[in-house]
Amino acid sequence: MTARRAAIGALVLVMLALLAWLYAVHWKPSESRYPRQGIDVSHHQGAIDWIAVAESDQVDFAYIKATEGGDHRDRRFPENWAGAGSAEISRGAYHFFTLCTPGDVQARNYIATVPKTPLMLPPVIDLEFGGNCEGRPSPDALVVELMIFIRAVEAHYGQQVILYLTREFDAGYAISTRVPRRLWLRGLVWEPKWGARPWTIWQASSFRSVAGIKGRVDWNVIRP
């Protein structure tokens, strides 16, 4: 009897886990509150069928990884940029800012990679510790290099950048306090309340399922 109960209990747990997973991959914030919702992607998503993404009628915009540091370019950026454009999905490009490369070098990499396109979304700077350099500059030194990057990119594209931040990075460098730009904050499921000012974009999920994309993808909403 004990073994049978254990087996039943294990089966129930498996079924509950499956239901939770099915709910998670389809969950998104309320469309009535946040009408504009979309994705951010990189080469990690593999080949994307952008026509299928557009036909799903779920994705209003896409941010696409373009560059990282001073010399790295996402290998799928050209095809993703062209694909999103062909599918008439509003598109923007983001740069992963590394802590060990001068801001002007990183800006040149981004500008050389991302075409200046009509109606493109504002450039985004991805600021997080995960996957970054082990060396940590002082807060003052980082802000100096970050502002060099920002001024160069804003002058080229004629738009103010948006800062993507994790809570850990902002706690370490107080970027939302020190750099007066719009914020894209990460807060899985729960709306982030920790920035120095209200977010413009909220990354609400990292495990959404979207037609045309294999595996999970980040899901975001824009504040109305």
Side-chain angles (χ1 to χ4, degrees):
M1 184 64 71
T2 301
R4 183 180 179 184
R5 288 179 178 176
I8 293 173
L11 179 60
V12 169
L13 289 175
V14 169
M15 292 179 65
L16 289 174
L18 177 61
L19 289 172
W21 179 82
L22 289 172
Y23 177 79
V25 299
H26 293 99
W27 175 85
K28 61 182 178 180
S30 166
E31 288 185 340
S32 61
R33 290 189 64 188
Y34 308 111
R36 294 191 68 194
Q37 306 201 12
I39 56 177
D40 64 270
V41 300
S42 71
H43 69 275
H44 292 294
Q45 275 67 49
I48 296 175
D49 183 343
W50 286 99
I51 298 302
V53 172
E55 290 178 346
S56 73
D57 200 28
Q58 300 180 67
V59 176
D60 301 306
F61 65 91
Y63 264 102
I64 301 165
K65 183 175 182 179
T67 48
E68 180 174 331
D71 56 9
H72 178 77
R73 300 179 181 184
D74 190 281
R75 63 178 180 270
R76 289 198 179 272
F77 175 74
E79 67 183 77
N80 282 334
W81 189 255
S86 296
E88 299 184 345
I89 295 173
S90 183
R91 59 189 173 167
Y94 74 89
H95 171 83
F96 186 91
F97 195 92
T98 55
L99 300 175
C100 51
T101 306
D104 59 338
V105 176
Q106 298 194 57
R108 286 196 295 270
N109 186 26
Y110 183 87
I111 290 169
T113 303
V114 180
K116 189 175 180 179
T117 307
L119 303 179
M120 67 188 297
L121 297 173
V124 164
I125 308 172
D126 182 352
L127 295 161
E128 55 184 302
F129 288 129
N132 218 312
C133 306
E134 292 185 4
R136 297 285 187 262
S138 69
D140 288 344
L142 175 60
V143 169
V144 167
E145 296 301 330
L146 184 58
M147 290 308 303
I148 290 172
F149 180 97
I150 288 173
R151 292 189 185 102
V153 168
E154 290 182 345
H156 181 79
Y157 294 97
Q159 298 191 72
Q160 281 200 344
V161 303
I162 296 174
L163 306 175
Y164 172 90
L165 290 169
T166 63
R167 186 168 191 164
E168 296 76 16
F169 196 95
D170 202 40
Y173 282 103
I175 294 297
S176 67
T177 300
R178 303 188 66 181
V179 181
R181 294 296 187 275
R182 289 170 294 175
L183 303 177
W184 178 350
L185 302 182
R186 185 173 189 263
L188 301 183
V189 179
W190 305 106
E191 180 183 346
K193 303 288 188 180
W194 44 268
R197 55 193 167 278
W199 53 267
T200 295
I201 305 178
W202 164 27
Q203 187 180 78
S205 172
S206 61
F207 37 77
R208 182 116 165 92
S209 177
V210 174
I213 301 177
K214 297 177 182 178
R216 308 284 75 83
V217 67
D218 293 336
W219 192 258
N220 310 274
V221 301
I222 294 177
R223 185 183 295 276

